[in-house]
Amino acid sequence: MNIGDVATRSGLPAKTIRYYEDIGLIKPHRSANGYRCFQEADLHKLAFLGRARALGFSIEDCRMLMALYEDESRASADVKQLALEHLSKIEAKIADLQAMRDTLTELVHCCAGDSRPDCPILKDLSGALSPEVEAKAE
Amino acid sequence: MNIGDVATRSGLPAKTIRYYEDIGLIKPHRSANGYRCFQEADLHKLAFLGRARALGFSIEDCRMLMALYEDESRASADVKQLALEHLSKIEAKIADLQAMRDTLTELVHCCAGDSRPDCPILKDLSGALSPEVEAKAE
DNA sequence: CTTGACCTTCCCTTGACTGGAAGGTCCATA
DNA sequence: TATGGACCTTCCAGTCAAGGGAAGGTCAAG
């Protein structure tokens, strides 16, 4: 298979596949004309990577997950630990975003959104303590 | 004030403050020795930027928010629209992260995490349909 | 007079790609 | 056989919002 075929079948852009080769995640063979030449196993790896990335794992996590996947004497505990660490990062991000969302929602709620310049959003950003937002924060 | 003082007082690293000057968000004066020389107004701007960034606004959003803040004939509707667009991006991110979290939580739950190689997390990444995760997805 | 804390600019690195230029290859059609 | 278009290749630059560190200038205390 050429890169276009694996791109279609894996759902990953050709650019991304080349990048993954660049950083050593996959090692496709080359045809006589210099084109990359992918086996089914390469496609399988790419699909694996695509799913891991879609779950938010970093490239380095993916590298370790692939290594574990290919290590038949692995301990599932190692995989689970990777996943748990990743999970806690995700939960921290969610909490951060939710805090932003809550503050923003409240500020937006307080803003008239009309043609007048007076704006509690800007007032808050400029350092003024907004009574409504403060109250909600308690 | 020198950059160290505003860094301390604004809570932003000196590197970040120089960067903000670089991209035109602030324009501190210079002393005879070439040192940046910050007024209270610069400090106020930096604090504004710090708070806007903490709410997740992009640098370009911050630039617009600052412009609106300094425009006494602004319409609060413009500020509100910026905030609402940002809010919807945040909500989309939260939803993405929650979906990842839910899948990961389920996978982690299914994994024994012991010394054996068998692992539902890797099984899922490799493309197998996991009955438990599939069931939860319904 | 020296030490150490501060300041300056400059360039490189991050993560995970994406875009684009310049050029080679392959295949079908005229 | 020519040619056009769809592929493929490598390489370089850019994204976002800084952070790291080198090389060198400045300032104040002891």
Side-chain angles (χ1 to χ4, degrees):
Chain A
M1 277 179 284
N2 284 345
I3 199 166
D5 304 315
V6 271
T8 304
R9 290 182 59 190
S10 68
L12 295 172
K15 276 271 185 191
T16 298
I17 296 172
R18 289 194 197 99
Y19 171 67
Y20 287 173
E21 182 188 15
D22 239 43
I23 61 174
L25 283 178
I26 52 166
K27 295 184 180 36
H29 294 134
R30 295 292 178 134
S31 306
N33 59 13
Y35 287 15
R36 286 169 188 82
C37 165
F38 296 84
Q39 317 289 121
E40 285 295 327
D42 296 314
L43 179 58
H44 191 74
K45 275 194 186 188
L46 286 169
F48 182 100
L49 290 169
R51 277 184 289 262
R53 291 288 300 128
L55 282 179
F57 284 103
S58 72
I59 290 286
E60 286 317 304
D61 284 347
C62 289
R63 200 187 295 280
M64 289 189 280
L65 287 169
M66 284 276 298
L68 286 166
Y69 182 60
E70 291 176 341
D71 175 8
E72 302 200 350
S73 71
R74 68 180 165 260
S76 66
D78 293 340
V79 182
K80 189 169 186 172
Q81 197 198 330
L82 248 174
L84 279 170
E85 280 168 15
H86 178 48
L87 190 51
S88 79
K89 283 179 207 154
I90 286 182
E91 279 169 350
K93 268 190 203 167
I94 290 175
D96 285 354
L97 288 171
Q98 281 174 339
M100 290 179 195
R101 181 192 59 187
D102 294 347
T103 302
L104 273 169
T105 300
E106 185 56 32
L107 286 173
V108 159
H109 182 75
C110 295
C111 176
D114 56 21
S115 60
R116 289 171 301 170
D118 189 53
C119 176
I121 302 170
L122 292 179
K123 210 164 280 171
D124 183 273
L125 289 174
S126 78
L129 296 177
S130 132
E132 292 86 348
V133 176
E134 285 297 297
K136 295 277 173 176
E138 275 165 16
Chain B
M1 277 179 285
N2 283 346
I3 199 166
D5 304 314
V6 271
T8 304
R9 291 182 58 190
S10 69
L12 295 171
K15 275 274 187 190
T16 299
I17 296 172
R18 288 194 197 99
Y19 172 66
Y20 287 173
E21 182 187 17
D22 238 43
I23 61 174
L25 283 179
I26 51 166
K27 296 182 180 37
H29 294 133
R30 295 293 177 134
S31 307
N33 59 12
Y35 287 16
R36 287 169 187 82
C37 165
F38 297 83
Q39 316 290 121
E40 285 295 326
D42 295 314
L43 178 58
H44 191 73
K45 275 194 185 187
L46 286 169
F48 182 100
L49 290 169
R51 276 184 289 262
R53 293 286 300 129
L55 282 179
F57 285 103
S58 72
I59 290 287
E60 286 317 305
D61 283 347
C62 290
R63 201 188 294 280
M64 288 189 282
L65 287 168
M66 283 278 297
L68 285 167
Y69 181 59
E70 292 176 340
D71 175 8
E72 302 200 349
S73 71
R74 69 181 165 260
S76 67
D78 293 339
V79 182
K80 189 169 186 172
Q81 197 199 331
L82 247 174
L84 279 170
E85 281 168 14
H86 179 46
L87 190 50
S88 79
K89 283 181 206 153
I90 285 182
E91 278 168 349
K93 268 191 202 165
I94 290 175
D96 285 354
L97 288 171
Q98 281 174 339
M100 290 180 195
R101 182 192 58 188
D102 293 348
T103 303
L104 274 169
T105 300
E106 185 56 30
L107 286 172
V108 159
H109 182 74
C110 295
C111 176
D114 57 19
S115 62
R116 288 170 302 169
D118 189 52
C119 177
I121 301 171
L122 292 179
K123 211 165 281 171
D124 183 273
L125 290 175
S126 78
L129 297 177
S130 134
E132 292 87 349
V133 177
E134 285 297 297
K136 294 277 173 176
E138 275 166 14

